[in-house]
Amino acid sequence: MEAPESQVLSDPEQDPEPLLILSSLDIFVFSLFSGVLIYWFFFRNRPETAPEIKTLQATPTVAQPVRETSFIEKMKKTNRNIVVFYGSQTGTAEEFANRLAKDAQRYGMKGMAADPEEYDMSELSRLKEMSNSLAVFCMATYGEGDPTDNAQEFYDWMQGADDDMEGVNFAVFGLGNKTYEHFNAMGKYTDKRLAELGATRVFDLGLGDDDTNLEEDFISWKEQFWPAVCEFFGVEATGEETSIRQFELVVHNDVNMNQVYTGEVGRLRSFQTQKPPFDSKNPFLAPVSVNRKLNKGGNRHLMHLELDISESKVRYDAGDHVAVYPTNDTTVVSRLGERLGVDLDIIMSLKNLDEESNKIHPFPCPTSYRTALTHYLDINNPPRTNVLYELAQYASDPKEQESMRKMASASPEGKALYQSWVVDSERNILSILEDLPSLQPPIDHLCELLPRLQARYYSIASSSKVHSTSIHICAVVVEYTTKTGRVFKGVATNWLKNKIVTDNGHTPTVPMYVRRSQFRLPFKPSNPVVMIGPGTGIAPFMGFIQERAWLKEQGKDVGETILYFGCRHRNEDFLYQQELEDFERAGVLTQLNVAFSRDQDHKVYVQHLLKKNKEHLWKLVHSHNAHIYVCGDARNMARDVHAAFHEIAQEAGGLTHAQAVDYFKKLMTKGRYSQDVWS
């Protein structure tokens, strides 16, 4: 409103000359007119502008605080000299970063854990402005050598950075898995790149291997890391080995239940009022429309689920992953409450004692202990050594306390005891509490120490070209007996199994979002594709085959589509048998090769069938630009398949072993040999 008004008032002043020839009457009329305008402008609007002044005055009381994006300024403001950044996909790297930041206090320093996604990482060169400063990076590698979602921008920055890092001190611990081709790629790259930019490496790169014992690797690295840091900065450890609480308990006796979290990942009441876009912090509650058992026999339970996304605006492509947020077994949660002798329905908050921390709560608060243990905390996996160390003080039996402290130590005996008694025996927190009767920790401290329950990722078993309003999942229920005689149940698969579709009007739902993948069909449909996916590794290939069938219906020139599938018995676990045989009869599947490993005396696996067809496979790969896709177990199957292709290149292509290895490395670089594997 004000802009046009000011324009009207200023118009007569644009050309002052005409005023000199006006009569006194004209001047009087003009003055009268101007006076009316001035009165109208200043006094008529006064009642309207008063509320605006009040609004401006009220704004500071309701404005949200601006998030600090400068970690340098935050470190200066809070008198910290160590920052521990984490690239984390499943929460482990974040957990390690928090442990290192907490450890700093024991060595006379002050640290903070930081998510690189939340800060301006181009400020890293400014770290030299603080004396005795250090940046530590706990970097996990995701997929095929990729950065985690929260480290993607930092990785992009490193690739293009030319900053002078001289005077910046750093150390890196990488989290990876040796069963993958690009073991610890992100940790190695971060360490190498920072050194190239002139930063000073305070301690050697640590390489954690989740295929063996990631916790042991981390403990061994940090036991040498801290003395090296103390020596580098010329400081002495304080020797404090006491438990340091990070959060304080606040019990809410009188609280509005509409303000209490009941399992939401991010926004309060987001499950009651769903608002797109949907992502990791705002999952969509997808109704389960189909949940059927796939196998015809055997003692396992393989299942096919369909999630209805018609009301979500969620989009996906064949090859993408669907992430689901499971909940823990309510029976186990109740048993934990009984063992600790607490009322799980108490409403509480855990509040960070460090008021400057971005992480105000370890999980959404306020909430009940029951909700925290059901939705937010990992109570099923064996707890890490730092949890045992912190809980040991609550064991009244000296022998039990000593045993817990030993398992949390870096000594060879302690590591061996932790490996056998906790890891190999698969004792979760409930099992440990049951087997150590004198251990009686406060439940709030236990909730502070347990890691967050993470989303689970599944390869989508459908194509959006055919199923635009649903996402399909293929999974096997994890359930077996451990060395202690207890039954271990996989959290997510048992939770999904119980999402039963009934006719009584109740529709089960699954909190989910889509994570994009690089596992993609060739841009040209005419390129042949060779898919190798035994067991539930067939999942993404159901989407690929559906899409190739759709392309064929559209009149596209579709190349050879070959599937190598493996299972135990034809009559038990030949997943999607009817659909696959129908695709073969329709000419969509050029070849359907199935290895039934236990239907004969000698084991037959997919790699054996590959070698049987070596001439044709080599021709497709070498002469017809075929794309190879492998999905399933990384530890054995993916390695064996890779080795089989090396042999095929040698026997059918006449390459030496070294040439064959190099040949398939180049195919990977070109995106023509893709893997979607897990261990």
Side-chain angles (χ1 to χ4, degrees), residues 224-286:
Q224 298 174 63
F225 164 74
W226 283 117
V229 170
C230 291
E231 184 181 347
F232 184 85
F233 291 128
V235 298
E236 289 186 14
T238 60
E240 291 180 17
E241 288 296 326
T242 55
S243 172
I244 303 167
R245 288 294 299 264
Q246 194 176 348
F247 298 88
E248 65 176 345
L249 172 65
V250 178
V251 176
H252 305 282
N253 294 315
D254 184 18
V255 64
N256 180 350
M257 293 307 289
N258 287 327
Q259 299 300 313
V260 175
Y261 283 88
T262 57
E264 303 94 328
V265 178
R267 179 174 57 85
L268 183 67
R269 301 189 68 76
S270 59
F271 289 165
Q272 283 80 11
T273 53
Q274 293 258 276
K275 296 175 184 175
F278 298 105
D279 53 28
S280 60
K281 294 178 175 65
N282 181 37
F284 174 64
L285 273 183

Side-chain angles (χ1 to χ4, degrees), residues 266-470:
R267 179 174 57 85
L268 183 67
R269 301 189 68 76
S270 59
F271 289 165
Q272 283 80 11
T273 53
Q274 293 258 276
K275 296 175 184 175
F278 298 105
D279 53 28
S280 60
K281 294 178 175 65
N282 181 37
F284 174 64
L285 273 183
V288 179
S289 55
V290 174
N291 185 351
R292 62 184 172 92
K293 188 176 180 179
L294 285 171
N295 51 316
K296 298 184 282 286
N299 54 9
R300 297 186 302 161
H301 184 100
L302 294 113
M303 56 192 173
H304 171 89
L305 288 93
E306 296 182 13
L307 310 180
D308 182 356
I309 58 168
S310 57
E311 301 298 319
S312 69
K313 298 183 180 175
V314 168
R315 301 288 178 265
Y316 74 96
D317 291 308
D320 282 343
H321 298 142
V322 58
V324 302
Y325 285 96
T327 59
N328 288 310
D329 187 336
T330 54
T331 306
V332 176
V333 171
S334 296
R335 283 170 61 193
L336 265 173
E338 290 165 11
R339 168 63 181 80
L340 295 171
V342 295
D343 177 2
L344 293 179
D345 296 313
I346 289 172
I347 306 300
M348 57 83 196
S349 293
L350 290 181
K351 187 180 176 185
N352 204 319
L353 291 165
D354 176 6
E355 293 180 357
E356 298 295 332
S357 175
N358 282 359
K359 191 175 184 179
I360 302 168
H361 309 289
F363 44 78
C365 291
T367 190
S368 68
Y369 287 122
R370 187 180 304 280
T371 299
L373 293 169
T374 304
H375 293 269
Y376 299 138
L377 297 171
D378 184 350
I379 61 173
N380 208 43
N381 282 314
R384 299 196 185 276
T385 57
N386 67 303
V387 177
L388 299 182
Y389 175 82
E390 297 275 356
L391 293 182
Q393 62 185 306
Y394 302 115
S396 56
D397 184 332
K399 287 184 179 179
E400 290 183 1
Q401 188 174 120
E402 183 188 352
S403 176
M404 291 181 75
R405 291 199 188 281
K406 181 186 279 189
M407 285 189 284
S409 74
S411 69
E413 300 81 17
K415 288 177 180 177
L417 183 60
Y418 174 75
Q419 181 67 35
S420 62
W421 198 80
V422 178
V423 179
D424 294 343
S425 300
E426 297 182 76
R427 279 184 169 89
N428 59 23
I429 190 61
L430 177 60
S431 306
I432 287 170
L433 287 165
E434 288 175 341
D435 293 344
L436 298 175
S438 82
L439 182 59
Q440 195 67 30
I443 190 169
D444 60 292
H445 198 178
L446 182 64
C447 289
E448 174 181 326
L449 293 169
L450 290 173
R452 284 291 295 270
L453 181 60
Q454 298 294 324
R456 304 303 204 262
Y457 297 90
Y458 294 95
S459 303
I460 295 176
S462 54
S463 165
S464 59
K465 298 287 191 295
V466 181
H467 300 281
S468 61
T469 61
S470 65

Side-chain angles (χ1 to χ4, degrees), residues 6 64 74 176 184 192 206 219 258 267 281 315 322 331 361 368 396 436 474 477 500 539 573 583 585 606 653 675:
S6 63
Q64 294 296 314
K74 183 166 184 178
N184 255 314
K192 173 173 166 283
I219 291 290
N258 287 327
R267 179 174 57 85
K281 294 178 175 65
R315 301 288 178 265
V322 58
T331 306
H361 309 289
S368 68
S396 56
L436 298 175
C474 171
V477 175
I500 299 164
D573 52 356
F583 280 127
R585 275 190 291 272
V606 285
Q675 298 185 101

Side-chain angles (χ1 to χ4, degrees), residues 647-673:
E647 290 179 31
I648 288 168
Q650 289 171 252
E651 294 169 14
L655 275 61
T656 65
H657 178 70
Q659 287 172 332
V661 170
D662 186 57
Y663 184 91
F664 281 97
K665 273 189 178 176
K666 285 177 180 172
L667 280 192
M668 282 186 170
T669 305
K670 292 175 183 175
R672 284 183 50 210
Y673 191 115

Side-chain angles (χ1 to χ4, degrees), residues 13-25:
E13 296 174 5
Q14 288 179 2
D15 186 4
E17 293 299 319
L19 292 176
L20 299 175
I21 59 171
L22 292 174
S23 68
S24 57
L25 181 61

Side-chain angles (χ1 to χ4, degrees), residues 410-559:
S411 69
E413 300 81 17
K415 288 177 180 177
L417 183 60
Y418 174 75
Q419 181 67 35
S420 62
W421 198 80
V422 178
V423 179
D424 294 343
S425 300
E426 297 182 76
R427 279 184 169 89
N428 59 23
I429 190 61
L430 177 60
S431 306
I432 287 170
L433 287 165
E434 288 175 341
D435 293 344
L436 298 175
S438 82
L439 182 59
Q440 195 67 30
I443 190 169
D444 60 292
H445 198 178
L446 182 64
C447 289
E448 174 181 326
L449 293 169
L450 290 173
R452 284 291 295 270
L453 181 60
Q454 298 294 324
R456 304 303 204 262
Y457 297 90
Y458 294 95
S459 303
I460 295 176
S462 54
S463 165
S464 59
K465 298 287 191 295
V466 181
H467 300 281
S468 61
T469 61
S470 65
I471 283 176
H472 301 181
I473 294 175
C474 171
V476 57
V477 175
V478 178
E479 186 173 331
Y480 56 87
T481 303
T482 68
K483 289 180 179 179
T484 65
R486 295 178 171 95
V487 176
F488 177 89
K489 291 185 175 183
V491 172
T493 54
N494 279 277
W495 170 75
L496 285 171
K497 178 187 175 184
N498 291 323
K499 295 288 178 180
I500 299 164
V501 181
T502 61
D503 297 328
N504 64 3
H506 172 70
T507 303
T509 56
V510 168
M512 55 72 67
Y513 70 94
V514 169
R515 188 185 193 277
R516 296 292 174 185
S517 164
Q518 300 301 314
F519 204 66
R520 289 280 182 269
L521 278 168
F523 180 72
K524 290 182 180 178
S526 57
N527 286 130
V529 297
V530 179
M531 303 169 288
I532 302 108
T536 56
I538 195 174
F541 303 137
M542 292 306 295
F544 281 11
I545 296 164
Q546 288 170 14
E547 191 143 323
R548 301 278 274 191
W550 179 83
L551 287 165
K552 213 173 176 69
E553 287 173 7
Q554 304 303 305
K556 303 287 185 186
D557 177 18
V558 177

